[in-house]
Amino acid sequence: MGDHMKKVLLLAGLLACAAGAGQAQEVTLKAVTSFAEKTQFSKNFERFIEKVNADGKGKVQINYIGGPRAMPPFEVGNAVRTKVVDIANVTGAFYTNLMPEADALKLISKPGSAQRKDGTFALIEQLHNQKLNAHYLARQFHNVPFHIYMNKKIDKLDFTGLKIRVTPVYKDIVEAMGGTTVTTAPGEVYTALERGVVDGYGWRVTGIFDLGWEKVTKFRMEPAFYSVEVGVLVNLDTWNSLNAEQKKVLDDAAIWLEALESENDDLIKSERERQTKAGIAPIEFSAVDSKAFLAKANEVGWASVIKKAPENGAKLRALAEK
Ligand code: 173
């Protein structure tokens, strides 16, 4: 072989290596959401994916396989743990079977930015590492509360005789008020209401229009309570396999995602007005009773977490109240 030919082969080899390295640089992560696609609690995650796919060209991309049609909501946490998916939009309430402490996330109402500074995120991260083999990338909706929606009017804070659809978020408080609970994924709420299987349900102040629930809802009980938590979780092996540049794309997008929290106040206001127009009337109690309800919700929420996870539960409570 002549020198020229050797050089050509060498160059071709180098180019092939460079191309190979280039390809290895871009990874594609598989994503799911535990809420219906394009609805309130998936929307911002979908915007996050668009941002990552724009900013992460040649580095990291996200392949969005969708919501509950692709995977049942209560299985999403385990799918992250076992790396069936790499990244997910999911609330802690949906994986308390794997991590009882996840039930405490609704009781922590500080923004993600504050939780990063005061040690809360560090503990939440550690728990997700240990129990879910996951990295906790972002916290959404800290400033969106929950309500109990009803189809029967009640005139005192007593749910005796009422059957309420719950998830772990509302189970303890509904039972403490004397109600009976039925746990279902969001996808089953409409039918349960339509058939009169339940007299009410827990849900956030926003989002009931996404699934047509206004058609089967008469009242919204005040006051609002707790704090919605929807996290972005990344399988820990996936996370550890990323290089610094790839992690930066995701970290920056996570901070951007958390900044979207500023949109929530207006959204809450407009959804409350929309509920009124749709004929959903508030059920209101005196200031004293409302305060007692909130105190009870907080107390039973923490008691339940601490019972299941005494040490971590107490630590989380101390951080939440700091
Ligand atoms: O009501 C629910 O399905 C639920 O528990 C929840 C929690 C956080 C965000 C969205 C839904």
Side-chain angles (χ1 to χ4, degrees):
M1 206 186 304
D3 266 0
H4 177 69
M5 196 61 200
K6 273 187 195 155
K7 273 186 197 151
V8 169
L9 285 176
L10 186 64
L11 189 62
L14 284 175
L15 285 172
C17 282
Q23 271 160 14
Q25 286 287 312
E26 182 175 294
V27 296
T28 300
L29 309 181
K30 193 169 166 185
V32 288
T33 172
S34 61
F35 298 101
E37 288 156 46
K38 299 194 169 62
T39 60
Q40 285 295 328
F41 296 91
S42 292
K43 265 183 205 160
N44 287 356
F45 182 61
E46 289 161 355
R47 292 160 77 187
F48 163 90
I49 291 174
E50 275 175 29
K51 181 169 170 64
V52 169
N53 287 345
D55 298 351
K57 289 210 168 65
K59 297 174 192 159
V60 55
Q61 295 288 292
I62 295 180
N63 173 25
Y64 183 42
I65 63 170
R69 286 183 300 179
M71 181 178 291
F74 296 161
E75 285 171 26
V76 170
N78 199 41
V80 174
R81 187 181 70 83
T82 56
K83 207 168 176 300
V84 167
V85 296
D86 298 297
I87 183 163
N89 183 61
V90 59
T91 176
F94 292 176
Y95 54 83
T96 52
N97 56 330
L98 299 171
M99 182 180 155
E101 295 90 341
D103 201 21
L105 302 177
K106 70 185 180 203
L107 302 166
I108 304 172
S109 58
K110 294 180 233 189
S113 52
Q115 294 187 43
R116 283 195 172 79
K117 289 194 197 107
D118 71 5
T120 310
F121 248 62
L123 178 54
I124 292 173
E125 172 71 12
Q126 187 197 327
L127 292 168
H128 280 79
N129 287 179
Q130 286 167 357
K131 309 208 167 178
L132 231 73
N133 190 36
H135 168 56
Y136 192 83
L137 184 68
R139 153 80 188 250
Q140 306 164 79
F141 306 115
H142 78 283
N143 53 356
V144 180
F146 295 93
H147 285 273
I148 304 294
Y149 294 85
M150 300 264 188
N151 278 334
K152 287 189 181 147
K153 184 140 172 47
I154 53 170
D155 48 22
K156 55 181 194 311
L157 271 164
D158 181 359
F159 295 177
T160 305
L162 297 177
K163 205 177 200 185
I164 309 289
R165 171 272 171 183
V166 299
T167 66
V169 170
Y170 335 89
K171 192 172 193 298
D172 296 299
I173 180 62
V174 169
E175 287 173 355
M177 305 308 293
T180 310
T181 58
V182 193
T183 300
T184 82
E188 284 131 51
V189 172
Y190 189 98
T191 315
L193 289 162
E194 198 182 27
R195 296 192 183 153
V197 172
V198 295
D199 305 303
Y201 60 96
W203 193 254
R204 291 68 50 91
V205 60
T206 55
I208 69 160
F209 295 95
D210 284 334
L211 300 163
W213 296 353
E214 78 281 6
K215 289 179 226 142
V216 284
T217 303
K218 294 200 178 95
F219 304 104
R220 182 191 64 249
M221 195 191 105
E222 301 286 340
F225 59 100
Y226 297 158
S227 169
V228 171
E229 183 270 343
V230 180
V232 176
L233 270 50
V234 185
N235 171 277
L236 194 55
D237 300 312
T238 300
W239 179 255
N240 289 335
S241 74
L242 300 176
N243 65 31
E245 258 191 330
Q246 292 163 332
K247 283 182 180 160
K248 185 168 178 350
V249 172
L250 294 172
D251 280 337
D252 290 350
I255 299 300
W256 177 88
L257 173 69
E258 287 180 1
L260 300 179
E261 299 287 77
S262 63
E263 300 175 355
N264 293 339
D265 288 346
D266 284 347
L267 204 64
I268 290 170
K269 195 164 168 279
S270 72
E271 292 238 353
R272 285 174 67 94
E273 285 165 8
R274 203 172 154 199
Q275 286 185 16
T276 306
K277 284 197 193 111
I280 299 171
I283 298 178
E284 288 171 318
F285 297 98
S286 71
V288 171
D289 285 352
S290 298
K291 205 172 155 208
F293 171 80
L294 292 179
K296 184 150 202 166
N298 195 51
E299 225 26 72
V300 297
W302 280 117
S304 173
V305 173
I306 289 166
K307 189 169 159 213
K308 285 173 272 187
E311 204 180 315
N312 291 326
K315 280 190 205 161
L316 285 164
R317 182 170 194 170
L319 286 164
E321 290 171 358
K322 195 154 98 175

